[in-house]
Amino acid sequence: MKISIILASYDSGHYHGGMGQGPDALISGGLVDALTMAGHDVAVEDIGRVGDDQEREIATGFAVCNAVAAEVRFARDSGRFPIVLSGNCLTSAGAVAGEGADAIIWADQHGDLNTPETSVYGFLDGMALATVLGLCWRPMAAAIPGFQPIDPSRCVLVNARDLDPAEKQLLETLPILRTECPGVAQATERLKVAGAKRVHMHLDLDVHDPEELQANRYVSSGGPNPEQLRDAACAMALTVPVVGITVSAYDPAFDAQADVPPLVGQLLNDLIATIEGR
């Protein structure tokens, strides 16, 4: 397969800070080599520095989305499968726009379903999925070329276990499909029945059980081990057409033994093999 790896090295508006160091760490940890050895034609594109000099979180976050949307669209037009490596989860809004996705699988220990009205901490990334679903930041999201909000009935939320009270309340009112891995088959089948034709898969690495793999500072007990996430992601990709992937939220400062990069390589190789063979 022809693959474009798109680097969006930002964390909360800061270039190459915190989780913004993750994309480069995954590359230097052998990701391109792992994909190439599996027979794939891999190109790496870096959006570089975008946004304003003051690195304001909101302005820069959406500037990143705009840049990612353009790179993803170019990859798709060139017959390449886009994989976005990002610090922040909001970046998936850009990937969704570039792919013209009509459904999303969101694997994350957090719900990312806060809005400016409900957020306790004012953390933009805690509103990432809400933005993708058109629940907040609508004017800024609409300015991303090609962005169309995804209907909540075409959203699968995987292993979200660290939820704010407002997120729990919101999930009681929305037709979001919640599941855990293992056990994703029923939710993914319902996504297929809902008519999903172009599915974006968002993988926040902190979805893992921190006892098995810790990707960043955000720790919440439970979650899948790497093998369980890999099996679940492949099972979902076998059921519905995945048109792009985002891998987010890896902070190498919390991975002293550099365990994460080879596991991400194995995850993506298995996923792409599944997508190719579908």
Side-chain angles (χ1 to χ4, degrees):
M1 180 183 284
K2 293 182 177 179
I3 297 169
S4 283
I5 296 179
I6 298 160
L7 309 183
S9 303
Y10 279 86
D11 184 354
S12 301
H14 301 297
Y15 188 48
H16 283 140
M19 296 181 296
Q21 300 176 73
D24 282 349
L26 291 173
I27 296 297
S28 64
L31 178 58
V32 174
D33 292 340
L35 293 170
T36 301
M37 288 177 65
H40 303 296
D41 175 351
V42 182
V44 178
E45 307 293 341
D46 192 334
I47 68 166
R49 188 180 288 275
V50 299
D52 59 28
D53 292 338
Q54 294 176 311
E55 296 187 323
R56 291 174 294 185
E57 181 184 18
I58 298 169
T60 304
F62 281 97
V64 169
C65 289
N66 276 266
V68 165
E71 289 289 352
V72 168
R73 187 176 304 105
F74 181 76
R76 298 294 302 183
D77 290 347
S78 303
R80 308 187 74 91
F81 184 87
I83 298 174
V84 179
L85 306 182
S86 67
N88 288 140
C89 295
L90 181 68
T91 307
S92 275
V96 163
E99 295 157 4
D102 64 4
I104 194 160
I105 293 165
W106 195 275
D108 195 325
Q109 71 164 306
H110 306 100
D112 291 349
L113 283 166
N114 281 305
T115 68
E117 291 77 19
T118 65
S119 176
V120 176
Y121 304 105
F123 184 32
L124 184 61
D125 241 30
M127 311 177 208
L129 181 55
T131 301
V132 170
L133 301 181
L135 305 178
C136 62
W137 299 111
R138 295 182 188 92
M140 298 193 80
I144 304 169
F147 180 81
Q148 293 291 329
I150 288 175
D151 190 301
S153 67
R154 292 182 176 182
C155 172
V156 175
L157 182 59
V158 183
N159 270 104
R161 56 198 186 272
D162 185 2
L163 300 168
D164 292 341
E167 291 179 303
K168 292 178 182 178
Q169 186 176 4
L170 183 64
L171 281 166
E172 292 176 358
T173 68
L174 292 177
I176 290 173
L177 307 170
R178 294 191 64 186
T179 188
E180 296 185 358
C181 47
V184 299
Q186 183 176 0
T188 318
E189 187 61 35
R190 287 174 62 190
L191 189 64
K192 182 179 178 180
V193 170
K197 304 294 185 186
R198 300 180 61 81
V199 182
H200 180 74
M201 183 175 286
H202 171 88
L203 303 172
D204 182 323
L205 294 176
D206 71 17
V207 72
H208 288 98
D209 181 347
E211 295 293 326
E212 301 284 345
L213 184 153
Q214 185 174 349
N216 56 44
R217 67 174 66 86
Y218 305 108
V219 177
S220 179
S221 61
N225 63 37
E227 183 180 359
Q228 289 171 325
L229 179 66
R230 191 163 61 247
D231 289 348
C234 290
M236 292 186 283
L238 194 61
T239 304
V240 294
V242 174
V243 295
I245 300 166
T246 297
V247 178
S248 74
Y250 172 45
D251 187 341
F254 292 83
D255 181 28
Q257 303 302 316
D259 294 326
V260 171
L263 290 170
V264 171
Q266 188 176 0
L267 168 64
L268 291 176
N269 262 327
D270 288 359
L271 253 179
I272 291 164
T274 303
I275 292 165
E276 275 191 304
R278 187 177 181 273

